[in-house]
Amino acid sequence: MSSGPTPAVLSFEDARHVVERHAAGVRPQAVETVDLLAGAGRVLAERILADRDFPPFDRATRDGYAVRAAELAEVPARLEVVGEVKAGDWPEPGTCSVGRGQAAGIMTGAPLPPGADAVVMVEQTSLLGNQSPLLGNRSIEVRRGVSPGENFVPRGAEALAGQMLLDRGRRLDHAGIAIAASVGKSQVQVFRKPRVAVLSTGDEVVEIDATPGPAQIRNSNSYALAAQVQAAGGEPVRLGIAPDERSRLRQLIEEGLGCDLLLLTGGVSMGKYDLVEEVLGELKAEFYFTGALIQPGRPVVFGSCGKKYFFGLPGNPVSTMVTFELFARPMIEALAGMTPQRMVFLRARLKSEIRTKTGLKRFLPAVLVGEFENAEVELARWQGSGDIAALARANGYVVVPPERERIEVGEWVSVLSR
Ligand code: AMP
Ligand code: MG
């Protein structure tokens, strides 16, 4: 009879912590160098340091006039304009410096000329007298005083040369790409993507280019999971479909254990043909949990075999996708070299009442509408965890705490976004 593991069903929080503890112990495999833009979405394997001060000079943040703030103690004040600094100009002390009674025109992004300690906005000034540019020196009247340091960012205020701007383990988004570009990194070192095996199980499952028989379904889970693996920073390796039969299932599981992580879908429930745990047991797998008090996805399994981790995700498509996000994602991120990430939840007001039974933490497909403070959410109408059409209409999951039987219209709820 069954040689499966002793069941261990944990709360969602405990199960997630178990995964996080194991994830904290894994190391990414290798480092590769890629062109900067190919690094978008990849995990940095090096620290990015400031190659010079940021900003590299006192940088004006307004169009206006560079002045000595002390000269504007009484306004209106009249100042002589001794020059102009455009973005890209370098004001040499000999050619453009601001002395007593003087000002220099300055544009946003330009360096503050020597002698000046503030910028007064052009809107607070007027040109005086005959303004023909051929007449050389001009004068302005300044209507408002400024404090020293106003309207420019001092050299090095954002970062000093040598300071770390991005740490190892950071996934490069567009802001990270901007930082790398700004210090002149045309190539970056990133961690190799972990190879994640995806194995579907079930006699009823056929490949997507096959014509399913009347009782068969196409293998959508492998594709959904492969897409989720990619989004999490892994390289999916689809192993196809294992039948509900021990020897072929075992062979494919062993093949999958050759990757950095193995994801199985289906075959982890209590049915007579749910063989995944038994076969893993034969392979001397260690099980950390064999269920979590969640819906969908209660039968989710997490363990290791040899040096490799695996997840057994329930076969119902919505359960597969939800349990991936809740449990497999943090492990893939860790294998990809990422520093651990917190789960991010949105908050929205409930549009129509939810009634459930207590005991399970629920992640129910939901439609989030409205913007800013008007965010509202309601459950997608669904036919249970096989309903991919409902999931495709949804854009998130409402989180229902296990002790809540009823959530009223207008209550704020947490939403896991997708
Ligand atoms: P199981 O977890 O093996 O009991 O599977 C539960 C249900 O999920 C099955 O009856 C199928 O309808 C569905 N299912 C299982 N595997 C897949 C798959 N690879 N792709 C799509 N649906 C699946
Ligand atoms: Mg099955």
Side-chain angles (χ1 to χ4, degrees), residues 201-205 244 265-268 273-274 315:
T201 71
D203 285 339
E204 77 281 27
V205 185
D244 294 322
T265 93
V268 291
Y273 299 100
D274 289 324

Short mmCIF file of all heavy atoms in Angstrom, two decimals, residues 201-205 244 265-268 273-274 315, ligand 2:
data_model
loop_
_atom_site.label_atom_id
_atom_site.label_comp_id
_atom_site.label_asym_id
_atom_site.label_seq_id
_atom_site.Cartn_x
_atom_site.Cartn_y
_atom_site.Cartn_z
N THR A 201 1.39 15.77 -14.39
CA THR A 201 1.03 14.36 -14.23
C THR A 201 -0.45 14.19 -14.48
O THR A 201 -1.24 15.11 -14.27
CB THR A 201 1.31 13.86 -12.79
OG1 THR A 201 0.35 14.45 -11.90
CG2 THR A 201 2.72 14.22 -12.34
N GLY A 202 -0.84 13.01 -14.92
CA GLY A 202 -2.26 12.69 -15.06
C GLY A 202 -2.55 12.00 -16.38
O GLY A 202 -2.15 12.47 -17.43
N ASP A 203 -3.27 10.88 -16.29
CA ASP A 203 -3.64 10.12 -17.49
C ASP A 203 -4.58 10.90 -18.40
O ASP A 203 -4.69 10.59 -19.59
CB ASP A 203 -4.33 8.81 -17.07
CG ASP A 203 -3.33 7.79 -16.53
OD1 ASP A 203 -2.12 7.94 -16.84
OD2 ASP A 203 -3.76 6.88 -15.80
N GLU A 204 -5.27 11.90 -17.81
CA GLU A 204 -6.25 12.65 -18.62
C GLU A 204 -5.60 13.80 -19.39
O GLU A 204 -6.26 14.45 -20.20
CB GLU A 204 -7.37 13.18 -17.72
CG GLU A 204 -7.04 14.42 -16.88
CD GLU A 204 -6.22 14.15 -15.61
OE1 GLU A 204 -5.46 13.16 -15.58
OE2 GLU A 204 -6.31 14.97 -14.67
N VAL A 205 -4.32 14.05 -19.15
CA VAL A 205 -3.69 15.25 -19.70
C VAL A 205 -2.97 14.92 -21.00
O VAL A 205 -2.22 13.95 -21.07
CB VAL A 205 -2.69 15.84 -18.67
CG1 VAL A 205 -2.12 17.16 -19.18
CG2 VAL A 205 -3.37 16.03 -17.32
N ASP A 244 -0.26 8.43 -14.75
CA ASP A 244 -0.48 8.02 -13.36
C ASP A 244 -0.01 6.58 -13.22
O ASP A 244 -0.81 5.66 -12.98
CB ASP A 244 -1.96 8.18 -12.98
CG ASP A 244 -2.38 9.64 -12.96
OD1 ASP A 244 -1.58 10.48 -12.53
OD2 ASP A 244 -3.50 9.94 -13.40
N THR A 265 2.92 19.11 -11.18
CA THR A 265 1.52 19.48 -10.99
C THR A 265 0.67 18.24 -11.08
O THR A 265 0.91 17.37 -11.91
CB THR A 265 0.99 20.52 -12.00
OG1 THR A 265 0.40 19.83 -13.09
CG2 THR A 265 2.06 21.42 -12.48
N GLY A 266 -0.32 18.19 -10.20
CA GLY A 266 -1.25 17.06 -10.17
C GLY A 266 -0.68 15.91 -9.35
O GLY A 266 0.51 15.87 -9.01
N GLY A 267 -1.56 15.00 -9.01
CA GLY A 267 -1.13 13.76 -8.37
C GLY A 267 -0.73 13.89 -6.91
O GLY A 267 -0.09 12.99 -6.36
N VAL A 268 -1.09 15.01 -6.25
CA VAL A 268 -0.73 15.16 -4.84
C VAL A 268 -1.94 15.12 -3.91
O VAL A 268 -1.81 15.34 -2.72
CB VAL A 268 0.08 16.46 -4.58
CG1 VAL A 268 1.46 16.37 -5.21
CG2 VAL A 268 -0.66 17.69 -5.08
N TYR A 273 -4.99 7.33 -7.60
CA TYR A 273 -3.96 7.45 -8.63
C TYR A 273 -3.08 8.68 -8.41
O TYR A 273 -2.37 9.10 -9.31
CB TYR A 273 -4.62 7.49 -10.02
CG TYR A 273 -5.38 6.21 -10.28
CD1 TYR A 273 -6.76 6.16 -10.14
CD2 TYR A 273 -4.69 5.04 -10.60
CE1 TYR A 273 -7.45 4.98 -10.34
CE2 TYR A 273 -5.38 3.84 -10.80
CZ TYR A 273 -6.76 3.82 -10.66
OH TYR A 273 -7.43 2.65 -10.83
N ASP A 274 -3.15 9.25 -7.21
CA ASP A 274 -2.27 10.37 -6.89
C ASP A 274 -0.97 9.81 -6.32
O ASP A 274 -0.85 9.53 -5.13
CB ASP A 274 -2.96 11.32 -5.89
CG ASP A 274 -4.10 12.09 -6.55
OD1 ASP A 274 -3.96 12.44 -7.74
OD2 ASP A 274 -5.12 12.31 -5.88
N GLY A 315 -3.19 19.79 -9.13
CA GLY A 315 -3.36 19.88 -10.58
C GLY A 315 -4.41 20.86 -11.06
O GLY A 315 -4.35 21.33 -12.20
MG MG B 2 -4.13 13.67 -11.38
#
